[in-house]
Structures are given as structure tokens and as C-alpha cells.
Amino acid sequence: MEVFDAVRAAVSDKVSVGVRISATDWVDGGWDLVQSEALAQILDARGCNFLHVSSGGLDERQKISVGPGYQVPFAAAIKAKKLRMPVIAVGLITEPEQAESILRHNQADAIALARGILYDPRWPWHAAAALGDSVVPSPQYLRCEPREARNVFRPR
């Protein structure tokens, strides 16, 4: 809390200050979801602007069952605490329909992509096309709209 308070005090109120947490360290007797829920409520009360919920990677004893969306339940549980700040989900979210479902089912307020964006930097464009939506790209990209995805680009 001291670090959060110091950062919050050091920047303008116009700057968003958020926190990425590890919701569990996946070790018996270690940090767990209940503690993360309490931490989220404290951060929310202190004016944290967003919470990015990840997990693991902290202890060689961890046992993680990895699969599509495996970390989303942590974000959903924390979001269910009725926080004011948005909660961001991660964890092998690779398909546009999967990301959309997480948002539609109110499991998170936003989706963070890591490996998916590294593999495909245009993932958001492809997701918009797959979901029948559109994006507003920078003007220099308007000429590259693919024929099979007409109307995925929306000019400003």
C-alpha cells in the first residue's frame, strides 16, 4: 500500500494508476484469491484506477493447470466484489469469441493480451473482423483493409 500511495501521490490525478496482481501463487498455504479480493477492495478504496489480474510464476512449487482462460475465474471473482475500478482479465485468451464472451458474461471489464499480440500484432483488427465489428485505425492503415474484411476499418 505504501508503494501505491507513493505513486498515486507523485503523479497528477489525470494519470491513471493501476496495479497488476498475482491472484494466487498456486502454492498450498501461499497467497490466494481471498487475500487478492481483500487487496483489491483496499486498492479500490484508495483510488486505484484499474486492477490487472494475473497469477503464478512466483514459486517453483506451483502446480498450474494451464488451459484457455485459466486465469479468468480470478478476475471474475474479484470483479464480483463490486469494485469501482475496472478489472482486467488475462490467461490464454486467444480467440475473439472467447474474449467477447468474457466481457459479455461480466467476468472482466477488459481483456489483456500478451502472447496473442506478440504472435499477431493486428489481433484486434482480426478480432473485429471475426466478430462483425469495426476499428478506427490510424489514417495510414486505411489503404490496407483486406477485401475479405471490407468495412472492418472505420475512418475517423
Side-chain angles (χ1 to χ4, degrees), residues 56-151:
L58 306 172
D59 192 298
E60 66 273 359
R61 296 171 294 157
Q62 65 192 15
K63 303 269 190 292
I64 302 174
S65 182
V66 176
Y70 73 103
Q71 296 181 91
V72 173
F74 300 127
I78 291 170
K79 181 171 171 43
K81 295 297 177 184
K82 307 292 183 204
L83 307 172
R84 289 175 304 206
M85 66 180 160
V87 175
I88 302 169
V90 302
L92 283 181
I93 300 168
T94 58
E95 301 300 321
E97 297 80 9
Q98 176 191 20
E100 185 70 12
S101 177
I102 292 164
L103 297 174
R104 288 199 187 277
H105 288 96
N106 209 28
Q107 294 175 289
D109 299 299
I111 304 295
L113 304 169
R115 292 178 187 100
I117 291 288
L118 290 172
Y119 176 73
D120 177 7
R122 304 284 188 259
W123 194 96
W125 294 3
H126 299 147
L131 297 171
D133 209 338
S134 61
V135 297
V136 179
S138 296
Q140 68 267 30
Y141 292 109
L142 290 173
R143 292 182 48 179
C144 76
E145 182 179 60
R147 292 186 195 285
E148 63 274 7
R150 283 288 175 227
N151 301 316

Side-chain angles (χ1 to χ4, degrees), residues 23-33 35 59 61-63:
T24 178
D25 57 19
W26 299 90
V27 175
D28 289 338
W31 187 262
D32 62 19
L33 180 59
Q35 292 167 309
D59 192 298
R61 296 171 294 157
Q62 65 192 15
K63 303 269 190 292

